[in-house]
Amino acid sequence: MSLLTIRNLSVRYPGAATQAVRDASFTLEAGGSLGIVGESGSGKSSIAGAILNFLGADTRIDGQILFEGTDLVPMPARQRRPILGRRIGSVFQDPFTALNPALRIGAQIAEPMIRHLRMPKPEAAARAVALLHDMGMQRPAEVAQAFPHQLSGGMKQRALIAAALACDPPLLILDEPTTALDVTVEAQILQLLARLREQKRIALLFISHNLGIVRKLCDNVAVMYASQLVELGDARRVLDRPLHPYSKGLLASRPPLEAASRGSRLPSIPGQMPQYPAPEQGCVFLARCAFADPASGCATPQSLATAEDGHAVRCWQANRLGPWPRLREMLSHGPTFTAGDALLNITDLRKSYAGGRSWQLGWKRGPVLRRRAAQVPAVNGISLSVSPGEVLGLVGESGCGKSTTGRLALRLTEPSGGSVEFDGADLALMAPATLQAFRRQAQIVFQNVGSSLNPRLSVGEALERPLALFDLVPAEQRRARVEELLEMVRLPRDYRTRYPHQLSGGERQRVAIARALATEPRFVVCDEPVSALDVSVQAAIVNLLADLRDRFGLAYLFISHDLAVVAQLSDRIAVMYRGTICETGPAAEVLRPPWHPYTRMLLDAVAEEIDPAVEPPAPQAAHGSGGCVFAARCPHHLGAICDREAPPLKPMGGGLSIACHLDLPPVAPVRNSTSPDAVTVR
Amino acid sequence: MAIYVLRRLGAVLATLVVMSLLVFLSTHALPSNTAALILGQYSTPETRAALEHKLGLDLPLTVQYWRWASALLQGDLGASLVMERPVAPMLWDAFGRSALLAGCTMAVVSTVGVGMGIVAAVWRGRWPDHGISMFAYAGISVPEFYWGLVLILVFGSTFHLFPTSGAATLADGFGTMVAHLVLPVVTLTLTLLAHVSRLTRSSMLEVLDSMYVRVARARGFPERVVILRHALRNALLPAITILAQDFGFLIGGIVAVEAIFAYPGLGRLLIFSLERQDLPLMQAAILVLTAVYCLANLGADLLYGVANPRIRYAGAVE
């Protein structure tokens, strides 16, 4: 008997035109692991919802969910409760909201044991501390006494996993458990999960949009598209040699972790997932498929059939398809930017924010009680430059100050020190009229496509605003210019009349890019422009940004936490950690040795394999101010010098600079250039 | 936290000083003559001037304020002009009775209002929700003096269930005391329920939709535990703030309700002093009401701090 057998599961939300999950069947053996991958809206989380019973009473669930031989679907909520929490643990995406802010961590972990196992409170509390220790927490007793807001995101997720495992369940359901976390923290959580799986023989049902993670952690994988399972089988085999066109496209559109040439573009899947898929009228992927052949079998309903490789594929021609088509490499016209005069020059830039305030007794012609605000540095003396037509990638984890740098570069916020020069003129000294002229030439695209467009303005109105504001186009020609802008970002002209809520995430980001381009800028800050988008859409937007760069000679400050995306687009990369630049140089050099220990950590975090035996390095004791900012987390910590002295950026050859006390080897000469038109650097 | 409390206390003191100034100045702006009031209709300009001099009323306003305020700080609230008795004992008796009325009302409003909010949120969109919101809106849309009259008519005059006027003390028996409180408390409650119940409902709905409530459900906890332990604790925080605001409405309501039910409290004393232009009594009553309001808000802020672990425990655990 399998631990979990899903048979013909269908989910339809109240009032929905189509099913969110359609006829899904799979099994999960005890101790096994199954990853369900798919883009947002594919229905993968609805499967978890159906098992965990949180879809609401009005949602229609058909089929069977056999857990340890019992069907959960017809079971009333009251009977299902002893199974949930006790036999099935669950961990959700956002650790920041999944813990109850009013209860102590220890109490939240102990509660399942008290309620399900009738464990006495002191015993449950002691076991909660032991569980926290199992999760790799440094001071579990202290953490158990803390409230959620006192913990970091990674610690919160560990606490949630501890609570999910409190009753030793044979099945753990994880719905995007690391999506909200930084890559290095994500790597630690994945390692923890791999270790727990091995030690406790827990079966994992792992839901994620991230193919790499699923490949690392799961034996089997199910790929979902538009409410259906389209491919199901051994994780390595499916993800290394996918058979369904959607799986092929999805894997191909992941940017590789290597510097790309200016002419290369990511393969992408055109279009978007249908909102109301109708599989009875033919393949749901037909409209986006590179191998579509509507004249033949594609127009009939597709069924899951076992393919040559032994896994199930929902495509009639699965056995005879080649790889997803790569885009023809564009003419390599080499770097279009000229080394020399920088367009943007950032020198020793600083920005501090007022932190917690405290009362201090001071002396100023007598004792005075004054309020002192602690200054928290967000950007701590960084220097960068961007040439005309050049893309500088700025990469780092959340809170490292990369977005603040982007805002400072446009003087959207005032620096506490240092200078930003655009075209030789200091932003801080600009008169209002000059500043206005600068604003026209320097634009920004934000991460959050949901909130960066005004919901009450149509696309046309949003695009006309900058035209009117800078008085660029006479009123009667604005409509034509708007249509031209829409075409530039490859949206249909009639999108002019649409409102943001009528657009998909990718389309909204295209509108935001069009709005930034409306003023014909020379420099655009792209602040995590693709982080909120699905992989296939992300590839299309990255390609669009590359095309626009080449077409208009745009310079970008491309900010992202994703090293692979940054590498795809950037000529040079700067790695940022806690307000300082720890490594900077040409993209290809940053990605190959020598590395700053932090760059190394970022690269390791997205490596293909995880070794459950390796323990993440324990953070060192908190360092005093003045030392290397990375000292506390550095696995190669040298001792006193790292805590005492901030390392300066040292040139390593080949344009690479690294700020580290370690005696790193110089850059090795390039034997066989990976990118023929690799950008030469000043 | 200690610094926070001190700072808030300082703010309350500052408010009281400003209020004492305002009260003092506004009562002096009234078109009445204290000396004429005391001496009655047979006073002559000479006798009035003599009395004014004796009372210090001919001194500059600043000096008068100083005398009044320093007496106030020594606990001397002055003497009533009309009743010719010291204000303080009168005021404290009335204050005690009003505090009883207000305390009972707040207790009923907070328990019933929060309870109604929970029920409405849990049965969202179904008849308990609609019923509760209709009841709450009916309560707030009709002024308290109207509810007072209706209640007197129904429960007092028609069914003779509760006394409709006056107050009783413990000496008259606990039952009698409570019976005298019922109608005024119900009247005040009716007008205050809407705020608390609607706010609890909406914050409860928000919390019930939160991730941690979903997590609690996914852990298989009974619905009662999910609602009372996991949701309510977080939903109550905004209710604390709104209850403090309601205290202001309550003070206004008490003045009206005490008049209707002839309840000898602070509100009635205030109306009496206004009608008879009894300046010292008026000043003292207004000041006491202001102080009570400030302290109620301070209490709510402190309670909020104690109930919210984010304020209580600010530091991070590494």
Side-chain angles (χ1 to χ4, degrees):
Chain A
M1 183 182 68
S2 302
L3 179 68
L4 177 73
T5 306
I6 306 274
R7 260 190 219 140
N8 308 104
L9 179 71
S10 292
V11 174
R12 187 198 283 268
Y13 290 106
T18 53
Q19 287 162 321
V21 177
R22 202 182 289 253
D23 202 20
S25 303
F26 58 82
T27 55
L28 178 59
E29 303 298 329
S33 55
L34 173 73
I36 302 181
V37 291
E39 294 176 286
S40 49
S42 61
K44 56 189 192 303
S45 291
S46 298
I47 292 182
I51 301 170
L52 296 171
N53 196 26
F54 59 65
L55 297 181
D58 301 331
T59 302
R60 200 190 148 128
I61 299 173
D62 294 308
Q64 285 182 311
I65 300 174
L66 294 165
F67 177 72
E68 295 180 320
T70 6
D71 188 2
L72 299 183
V73 174
M75 212 182 256
R78 189 177 290 277
Q79 273 179 45
R80 222 195 266 210
R81 271 179 213 139
I83 298 174
L84 299 175
R86 180 169 184 176
R87 305 293 297 162
I88 306 178
S90 50
V91 177
F92 298 96
Q93 171 167 359
D94 189 357
F96 300 90
T97 56
L99 284 164
N100 191 326
L103 301 175
R104 290 178 197 271
I105 299 290
Q108 299 194 46
I109 298 171
E111 197 173 359
M113 298 184 269
I114 296 166
R115 297 209 187 279
H116 291 305
L117 308 178
R118 306 261 160 244
M119 200 183 271
K121 270 187 181 175
E123 198 187 329
R127 216 177 109 64
V129 175
L131 274 163
L132 283 170
H133 181 259
D134 276 359
M135 299 304 127
M137 293 275 203
Q138 298 289 319
R139 275 167 291 176
E142 207 177 307
V143 171
Q145 284 301 311
F147 282 94
H149 70 273
Q150 296 173 286
L151 305 186
S152 67
M155 289 167 92
K156 282 182 187 155
Q157 198 60 300
R158 280 166 202 262
L160 282 160
I161 296 173
L165 296 179
C167 301
D168 266 324
L171 172 64
L172 184 58
I173 297 179
L174 302 125
D175 189 354
E176 304 264 12
T178 58
T179 307
L181 304 172
D182 280 322
V183 275
T184 55
V185 182
E186 173 179 272
Q188 290 166 12
I189 296 286
L190 292 178
Q191 200 155 35
L192 171 69
L193 290 172
R195 180 163 62 84
L196 290 171
R197 224 196 111 194
E198 210 155 83
Q199 286 173 356
K200 306 201 175 193
R201 305 288 306 144
I202 307 169
L204 302 182
L205 183 64
F206 193 95
I207 294 161
S208 179
H209 72 286
N210 189 323
L211 303 159
I213 293 181
V214 169
R215 190 183 176 283
K216 277 188 228 180
L217 202 63
C218 299
D219 306 330
N220 293 298
V221 67
V223 183
M224 269 193 103
Y225 181 76
S227 76
Q228 286 185 314
L229 293 181
V230 294
E231 188 161 1
L232 185 66
D234 179 85
R236 302 255 152 155
R237 245 184 289 168
V238 170
L239 297 177
D240 292 342
R241 236 192 115 248
L243 290 182
H244 192 278
Y246 174 65
S247 320
K248 286 174 192 275
L250 203 56
L251 280 153
S253 33
R254 288 168 66 206
L257 192 52
E258 55 194 43
S261 75
R262 282 212 148 210
S264 78
R265 296 289 182 269
L266 286 168
S268 69
I269 308 176
Q272 65 195 71
M273 201 160 69
Q275 230 175 340
Y276 307 110
E280 57 282 354
Q281 289 163 22
C283 177
V284 286
F285 191 56
L286 182 65
R288 303 175 71 188
C289 184
F291 312 103
D293 189 2
S296 54
C298 294
T300 57
Q302 306 291 309
S303 53
L304 265 184
T306 309
E308 279 169 359
D309 243 15
H311 53 251
V313 186
R314 196 185 289 275
C315 176
W316 69 281
Q317 50 180 356
N319 288 330
R320 59 178 214 208
L321 298 178
W324 189 264
R326 306 219 146 245
L327 295 177
R328 198 159 34 84
E329 183 113 343
M330 307 248 232
L331 282 176
S332 280
H333 33 52
T336 53
F337 65 92
T338 46
D341 287 342
L343 181 65
L344 183 84
N345 217 336
I346 291 175
T347 317
D348 195 30
L349 190 64
R350 287 164 197 280
K351 175 73 185 177
S352 305
Y353 289 103
R357 289 161 195 278
S358 56
W359 287 94
Q360 270 191 342
L361 196 60
W363 194 267
K364 193 178 180 187
R365 277 183 286 169
V368 280
L369 196 61
R370 64 178 163 221
R371 263 169 102 192
R372 252 286 186 50
Q375 293 292 309
V376 181
V379 173
N380 203 358
I382 64 169
S383 300
L384 295 168
S385 70
V386 184
S387 296
E390 185 189 33
V391 178
L392 174 66
L394 190 57
V395 67
E397 291 173 316
S398 53
C400 74
K402 56 189 192 299
S403 287
T404 307
T405 306
R407 296 168 57 81
L408 287 167
L410 297 181
R411 208 183 149 187
L412 295 177
T413 175
E414 299 295 326
S416 320
S419 71
V420 181
E421 281 175 17
F422 186 80
D423 231 358
D426 192 334
L427 293 193
L429 306 176
M430 275 184 186
T434 344
L435 193 65
Q436 182 79 350
F438 161 72
R439 296 242 175 273
R440 197 183 74 74
Q441 294 189 51
Q443 287 286 321
I444 186 164
V445 176
F446 294 102
Q447 167 177 10
N448 196 331
V449 288
S451 62
S452 65
L453 292 175
N454 186 337
R456 288 171 200 282
L457 291 186
S458 71
V459 169
E461 286 164 336
L463 294 180
E464 273 181 33
R465 281 218 145 161
L467 301 178
L469 191 65
F470 291 98
D471 207 11
L472 298 170
V473 179
E476 64 277 8
Q477 289 167 30
R478 276 182 202 147
R479 187 174 153 176
R481 172 70 177 148
V482 165
E483 289 178 348
E484 194 186 4
L485 285 167
L486 285 172
E487 225 151 68
M488 235 182 248
V489 294
R490 299 192 200 112
L491 285 176
R493 283 161 174 254
D494 57 13
Y495 268 44
R496 204 170 39 81
T497 54
R498 297 212 183 177
Y499 284 86
H501 70 269
Q502 298 170 301
L503 307 178
S504 70
E507 288 170 340
R508 276 185 223 162
Q509 197 59 295
R510 284 173 194 271
V511 173
I513 292 170
R515 184 178 57 181
L517 294 179
T519 62
E520 297 171 47
R522 294 160 68 198
F523 172 63
V524 181
V525 172
C526 304
D527 190 357
E528 301 263 17
V530 296
S531 308
L533 305 176
D534 280 315
V535 190
S536 69
V537 183
Q538 173 179 310
I541 298 286
V542 169
N543 287 347
L544 173 68
L545 286 169
D547 290 347
L548 294 169
R549 168 198 65 190
D550 291 349
R551 184 167 161 197
F552 299 107
L554 290 175
Y556 296 144
L557 178 63
F558 190 89
I559 299 167
S560 178
H561 69 284
D562 188 336
L563 202 43
V565 170
V566 168
Q568 182 62 33
L569 207 57
S570 304
D571 301 310
R572 283 190 304 127
I573 296 177
V575 182
M576 200 165 174
Y577 185 77
R578 286 181 59 176
T580 60
I581 302 289
C582 50
E583 176 163 2
T584 176
E589 296 301 342
V590 169
L591 293 174
R592 50 181 213 122
W595 290 302
H596 186 280
Y598 177 60
T599 316
R600 179 74 197 265
M601 197 182 264
L602 285 179
L603 288 165
D604 284 350
V606 289
E608 291 288 314
E609 310 287 333
I610 33 172
D611 183 356
V614 175
E615 283 285 321
Q620 310 282 320
H623 61 92
S625 58
C628 171
V629 286
F630 190 58
R633 277 175 72 190
C634 187
H636 305 286
H637 194 271
L638 288 174
I641 185 162
C642 295
D643 296 329
R644 212 176 45 231
E645 246 178 78
L649 270 172
K650 279 184 294 200
M652 309 299 293
L656 186 71
S657 300
I658 295 179
C660 187
H661 291 300
L662 283 175
D663 194 15
L664 296 164
V667 167
V670 183
R671 270 168 303 171
N672 197 359
S673 173
T674 43
S675 44
D677 57 351
V679 172
T680 40
V681 177
R682 291 157 287 143
Chain B
M1 191 72 194
I3 286 172
Y4 175 71
V5 174
L6 281 177
R7 230 167 57 206
R8 287 303 320 260
L9 268 176
V12 167
L13 280 179
T15 314
L16 285 179
V17 170
V18 171
M19 271 312 291
S20 73
L21 256 174
L22 281 176
V23 168
F24 179 80
L25 290 176
S26 59
T27 47
H28 272 267
L30 287 177
S32 72
N33 185 314
T34 312
L37 269 174
I38 296 174
L39 292 173
Q41 63 190 108
Y42 302 112
S43 63
T44 59
E46 291 75 34
T47 53
R48 283 205 294 271
L51 186 64
E52 276 176 359
H53 182 71
K54 193 182 150 206
L55 291 174
L57 292 174
D58 52 349
L59 293 169
L61 268 184
T62 45
V63 180
Q64 283 194 49
Y65 174 71
W66 178 251
R67 285 188 172 186
W68 176 72
S70 44
L72 205 64
L73 284 179
Q74 290 159 24
D76 177 10
L77 298 177
S80 161
L81 298 179
V82 180
M83 299 202 259
E84 294 173 357
R85 283 195 280 153
V87 166
M90 256 194 301
L91 198 70
W92 293 130
D93 282 353
F95 174 74
R97 283 188 287 266
S98 288
L100 182 67
L101 183 56
C104 290
T105 308
M106 282 315 271
V108 174
V109 167
S110 51
T111 47
V112 175
V114 167
M116 278 165 53
I118 297 172
V119 171
V122 172
W123 279 274
R124 175 192 199 170
R126 284 184 275 168
W127 67 263
D129 184 17
H130 297 310
I132 282 171
S133 74
M134 259 171 63
F135 180 70
Y137 281 135
I140 200 172
S141 22
V142 177
E144 57 274 90
F145 57 81
Y146 182 80
W147 282 131
L149 293 179
V150 169
L151 289 175
I152 288 174
L153 258 174
V154 176
F155 294 98
S157 310
T158 313
F159 295 110
H160 301 287
L161 282 174
F162 299 107
T164 57
S165 70
T169 57
L170 263 183
D172 305 314
F174 185 71
T176 324
M177 187 179 81
V178 172
H180 275 92
L181 280 170
V182 170
L183 290 186
V185 166
V186 169
T187 309
L188 285 168
T189 304
L190 276 176
T191 52
L192 292 174
L193 270 181
H195 275 149
V196 184
S197 67
R198 296 304 289 177
L199 190 92
T200 309
R201 176 185 181 271
S202 68
S203 71
M204 195 70 187
L205 281 178
E206 197 177 302
V207 170
L208 283 176
D209 205 34
S210 74
M211 203 59 207
Y212 53 84
V213 165
R214 174 187 280 195
V215 167
R217 289 202 173 118
R219 285 188 193 147
F221 299 153
E223 199 57 18
R224 176 181 49 82
V225 173
V226 171
I227 289 168
L228 295 181
R229 179 173 157 87
H230 289 265
L232 184 59
R233 274 173 179 241
N234 293 289
L236 273 185
L237 284 178
I240 293 175
T241 319
I242 203 82
L243 277 172
Q245 279 178 26
D246 274 353
F247 208 83
F249 290 98
L250 179 63
I251 290 174
I254 271 184
V255 175
V257 164
E258 286 184 354
I260 300 167
F261 291 96
Y263 187 93
L266 207 52
R268 220 165 143 244
L269 202 62
L270 182 66
I271 292 183
F272 172 82
S273 68
L274 286 168
E275 280 170 355
R276 309 294 288 272
Q277 307 212 344
D278 191 341
L279 287 188
L281 191 58
M282 198 190 302
Q283 287 167 338
I286 294 177
L287 258 190
V288 168
L289 287 178
T290 314
V292 167
Y293 183 65
C294 289
L295 289 174
N297 268 296
L298 175 69
D301 281 0
L302 296 185
L303 193 62
Y304 189 90
V306 170
N308 190 347
R310 280 164 204 261
I311 295 181
R312 236 183 327 154
Y313 303 92
V317 174
E318 297 255 336

